[in-house]
Amino acid sequence: MFRKILIANRGEIACRVIDTARAMGVRVVAVYSDADAGARHVQMADEAVHIGGAAPKESYLRGEAIIEAARATGAEAVHPGYGFLSENPDFVEAVEAAGLVFIGPSAEAIRAMGLKDAAKALMEEAGVPVVPGYHGEAQDDLATRAGEIGYPVLIKAVAGGGGKGMRRVDRAEDFADALASAQGEAATAFGNDAVLIEKYVSTPRHIEVQVFGDGEKAVHLFERDCSLQRRHQKVIEEAPAPGMTEEMRAAMGQAAVRAAEAIGYKGAGTVEFIVDASDGLRADRFYFMEMNTRLQVEHPVTEAITGVDLVEWQLRVAAGEPLPKAQDDLSIQGHAFEARLYAEDVPKGFLPATGTLTHLAFPAGVRADTGVREGDEISPWYDPMIAKLITHGATREIALAKLEQALAHTQVAGSVTNLAFLRALARHEGFGRGEVDTGLIDREVEALSVAPVPCSRCRAVAAVGAMEMDADVVQGFSLWAPLEHSVTLAFEGEPELLKVSVEGEGRATVVSDAATHEVTWGAVGWAVDGTPVPAEVVRHDAGLSVFWGNNYHFTLPDPLDVSTGPGASAGQVVAPMPGLVKAVFVKAGAEVAAGDRLAVLEAMKMEHVLTAGRDGKVAEVLAEAGAQVEAGAALIVLEEEG
Ligand code: ADP
């Protein structure tokens, strides 16, 4: 076995590989870009080498820099993860030329599957069923070909990936436009505008088979169903495929093994099939689409049902060991799901988002593969995936219920996410029955994308949370009566004023324009109007979040916050309106930080917390508790800055 390997990747997959390497006693070298100097994968690794700028082409795509890092650190092998250089045959050759082991297939095998048209021709020869269509070299007269195949057809870039350069065409009159746009996109994305044409399979399901080869022989580790897609991108994956028959599983497994053996495949790979499910799953209705010559994002569902650690297998086979198990020793235990948690704005058309994760927590007992920690940034440089949540159960129903609960208890603040969308999918009735096809999400995207809005009970809890977590104010509360406090909460930028009247320890009445609620809190949790509720409240740098089935994020604008007013810059805290000073929390000489609570003013029957506008030392306190003050009166003066 290797003593030390280098991981030519970042994010969750780098962390995932480190976990297994560590468990095998293999030391790990990470590489990182400017943007990732403090990233989780760098922290986890034994050593880390800086390889360049934030843009992938300045770092994670710089093969020579990565090979140089491996040499400099004495790593013996390179694990490519997925994406970046993982399917680049030139990189594989360069790694090998440097005397290092590439943990993956040969450059030749990658090339054989690199272009969709050549791969289809090769598979046809190997007796693997392919989608009816045209994948010849000639690119003239494609419209005639499409007509012969029969509409609807799918135009695909031969160099394609990630759904790019792909267009579905339903009618002959739309063909020319679709072709031009597919070619344009392909030229830009892949520098190759050649396309192929396929029959568009009706009621399509995406079912792929995990294979593993030793360079000659291969085994398969059963199928994954990745039919829940949006714009040809996978959203939730599962294994095994719902409705799969033993006959079809055997046929697909054998076809996948034939595909892998036809190219002398070594390592982990995936053979993707499109299945015509218009008539249920039938052993004669699956067609080869492409082979991904690397570890897939969704590999954990296969690990969950087979008990195999695919990264361990990758390292062992790359180190020269035989395949760890024979086909007959592999079997399926139960069912597994994976959901991809992304920083993206679903109601805004799944717009990728960025942000600092001011709070991040995953439920216990669920596999969460992630490359980020609380406080980390989702930057615009890389894929905005936050984590993959994987659940496993004895049956599909149990595994799906666990997924739904895992999503309900995942807490992310600081960026918008697709959590609510994923949870809506996990609760979708048709999906629950296993009725999946690649069009499901598109057909129902509107209902699935509805952003949850906090009810008045949730807002009441948030208001108490905002007040309760302010230790100074709470202490102050026990001293003053009437114990009334006003809280302004903004949800999606919409401010709402709530009045919180503390009735006793852990008990308050919250009044808003919409409703009045009795809220209690304490060691046993929250209750609203006498009913316990499973809410959790977290205060963080971006505001306050209530986690209650969904994630509800509030900001806490203080409409009367004078810290940003003119007095603040002058180092003064002034009364924003006439009122009674209820408490002063500082004395002359005290060091304060921007945002610290300095005093409480009661005005118009509400209490207003006055905060420091900047860091500094208190020069003078001009008002005592109990004093009646005029609007604009200076209450506290800070020393001059200098
Ligand atoms: P890419 O490499 O760009 O991801 P694929 O060939 O893997 O492209 O196809 C992506 C997705 O497009 C598939 O998962 C499937 O949902 C859909 N698809 C591909 N080929 C067909 C087809 N012939 N008929 C219907 N849907 C298809």
Side-chain angles (χ1 to χ4, degrees):
M1 182 45 58
F2 310 114
R3 278 173 300 112
K4 193 192 268 191
I5 63 169
L6 178 141
I7 301 173
N9 216 301
R10 63 176 305 283
E12 71 87 14
I13 192 62
C15 298
R16 157 76 191 89
V17 175
I18 294 173
D19 278 335
T20 289
R22 173 115 337 125
M24 295 171 71
V26 175
R27 278 174 293 153
V28 176
V29 181
V31 291
Y32 64 95
S33 69
D34 287 346
D36 279 339
R40 180 165 186 258
H41 77 279
V42 174
Q43 184 197 38
M44 284 174 72
D46 298 291
E47 290 168 70
V49 180
H50 176 249
I51 51 165
K57 69 173 186 334
E58 291 171 13
S59 48
Y60 299 106
L61 290 174
R62 287 184 61 211
E64 335 82 79
I66 290 168
I67 291 167
E68 186 44 46
R71 275 202 173 129
T73 53
E76 303 151 77
V78 175
H79 192 299
Y82 53 69
F84 296 128
L85 294 168
S86 62
E87 294 181 281
N88 182 322
D90 298 338
F91 178 64
V92 177
E93 280 167 353
V95 166
E96 288 169 352
L100 305 167
V101 175
F102 180 77
I103 301 172
S106 66
E108 220 183 341
I110 295 176
R111 278 201 187 97
M113 290 297 179
L115 293 178
K116 289 184 204 282
D117 54 347
K120 277 183 82 174
L122 186 74
M123 290 301 104
E124 244 175 345
E125 245 171 69
V128 177
V130 303
V131 189
Y134 172 77
H135 51 261
E137 252 173 54
Q139 296 285 302
D140 45 8
D141 221 11
L142 291 169
T144 310
R145 304 290 189 180
E148 286 162 10
I149 295 162
Y151 289 93
V153 298
L154 200 59
I155 304 173
K156 280 188 189 178
V158 303
K164 287 210 180 76
M166 199 149 95
R167 295 287 183 281
R168 174 184 164 164
V169 192
D170 292 330
R171 306 173 311 168
E173 53 267 46
D174 300 334
F175 187 82
D177 283 351
L179 177 65
S181 86
Q183 285 170 329
E185 196 170 295
T188 312
F190 315 112
N192 177 350
D193 71 355
V195 298
L196 58 82
I197 300 178
E198 278 179 3
K199 176 83 191 154
Y200 185 85
V201 172
S202 68
T203 323
R205 278 176 64 174
H206 174 120
I207 300 180
E208 58 185 34
V209 178
Q210 175 72 52
V211 293
F212 213 101
D214 64 3
E216 275 177 49
K217 290 276 160 215
V219 294
H220 71 83
L221 292 96
F222 314 102
E223 78 281 0
R224 294 185 285 260
D225 194 311
C226 311
S227 298
L228 285 195
Q229 302 184 346
R230 202 195 58 85
R231 296 207 192 121
H232 308 299
Q233 302 277 8
K234 297 160 188 168
V235 177
I236 292 181
E237 303 99 340
E238 62 180 301
M244 180 58 79
T245 63
E246 277 310 321
E247 185 201 2
M248 182 160 178
R249 174 173 295 134
M252 291 186 79
Q254 279 160 22
V257 165
R258 267 205 304 283
E261 290 181 351
I263 56 168
Y265 198 79
K266 186 170 181 177
T270 296
V271 183
E272 295 191 331
F273 296 99
I274 188 89
V275 173
D276 175 347
S278 54
D279 215 2
L281 291 186
R282 291 180 33 175
D284 59 351
R285 297 235 179 127
F286 68 88
Y287 310 99
F288 171 86
M289 275 195 301
E290 66 172 348
M291 179 166 183
N292 291 317
T293 51
R294 53 169 159 84
L295 194 66
Q296 300 263 100
V297 175
E298 60 273 23
H299 75 276
V301 291
T302 297
E303 297 187 319
I305 62 159
T306 58
V308 167
D309 180 331
L310 286 166
V311 175
E312 179 194 322
W313 278 33
Q314 285 189 300
L315 297 194
R316 289 173 63 182
V317 169
E321 289 185 34
L323 287 178
K325 281 189 177 180
Q327 191 67 60
D328 288 346
D329 299 332
L330 291 162
S331 61
I332 297 176
Q333 307 299 326
H335 205 102
F337 285 91
E338 173 185 281
R340 300 185 185 195
L341 175 60
Y342 271 95
E344 63 183 9
D345 195 336
V346 173
K348 287 202 185 122
F350 297 82
L351 204 66
T354 56
T356 299
L357 300 172
T358 50
H359 176 77
L360 179 68
F362 302 108
V366 171
R367 177 171 171 183
D369 283 14
T370 182
V372 289
R373 302 147 300 191
E374 186 167 294
D376 282 349
E377 199 193 335
I378 302 292
S379 79
W381 295 106
Y382 313 109
D383 184 58
M385 185 156 76
I386 297 170
K388 309 185 301 199
L389 295 175
I390 301 108
T391 60
H392 181 241
T395 64
R396 184 175 191 272
E397 193 183 1
I398 293 170
L400 185 54
K402 284 172 81 172
L403 181 72
E404 194 273 334
Q405 280 301 293
L407 293 165
H409 291 103
T410 295
Q411 307 179 342
V412 192
S415 167
V416 289
T417 72
N418 65 344
L419 249 182
F421 170 73
L422 292 174
R423 185 157 175 245
L425 263 178
R427 296 160 80 119
H428 185 273
E429 284 185 15
F431 180 44
R433 290 190 297 267
E435 294 162 4
V436 293
D437 70 82
T438 61
L440 185 147
I441 289 180
D442 276 348
R443 284 194 302 274
E444 310 201 16
V445 71
E446 230 165 280
L448 292 167
S449 306
V450 174
V453 173
C455 63
S456 64
R457 296 187 307 149
C458 177
R459 291 169 195 263
V461 167
V464 173
M467 174 212 77
E468 212 268 343
M469 282 170 205
D470 191 334
D472 290 340
V473 172
V474 172
Q475 262 184 3
F477 267 126
S478 58
L479 304 173
W480 321 312
L483 304 172
E484 203 169 74
H485 190 68
S486 72
V487 176
T488 305
L489 291 174
F491 182 76
E492 309 229 305
E494 285 288 320
E496 184 185 22
L497 185 71
L498 298 102
K499 270 193 198 171
V500 180
S501 306
V502 177
E503 319 281 358
E505 213 179 306
R507 199 154 53 79
T509 302
V510 183
V511 182
S512 69
D513 283 349
T516 297
H517 292 294
E518 197 71 41
V519 177
T520 61
W521 67 98
V524 294
W526 296 84
V528 180
D529 300 330
T531 308
V533 297
E536 241 186 274
V537 183
V538 175
R539 191 75 182 260
H540 49 79
D541 285 350
L544 174 146
S545 301
V546 177
F547 299 109
W548 181 349
N550 291 298
N551 288 195
Y552 301 104
H553 306 299
F554 299 92
T555 50
L556 302 168
D558 185 348
L560 299 167
D561 188 344
V562 294
S563 65
T564 53
S569 49
Q572 290 193 347
V573 172
V574 298
M577 59 186 78
L580 180 71
V581 177
K582 300 279 317 202
V584 178
F585 301 122
V586 289
K587 291 198 169 77
E591 293 285 350
V592 298
D596 279 359
R597 273 76 178 153
L598 303 186
V600 175
L601 181 76
E602 188 198 66
M604 302 190 323
K605 293 197 171 157
M606 294 194 298
E607 288 173 357
H608 309 290
V609 179
L610 307 181
T611 60
R614 61 163 166 87
D615 297 357
K617 196 173 193 178
V618 175
E620 272 186 282
V621 175
L622 302 171
E624 290 177 328
Q628 189 71 41
V629 294
E630 290 304 314
L635 306 182
I636 292 163
V637 182
L638 302 185
E639 281 185 11
E640 296 289 339
E641 271 177 312

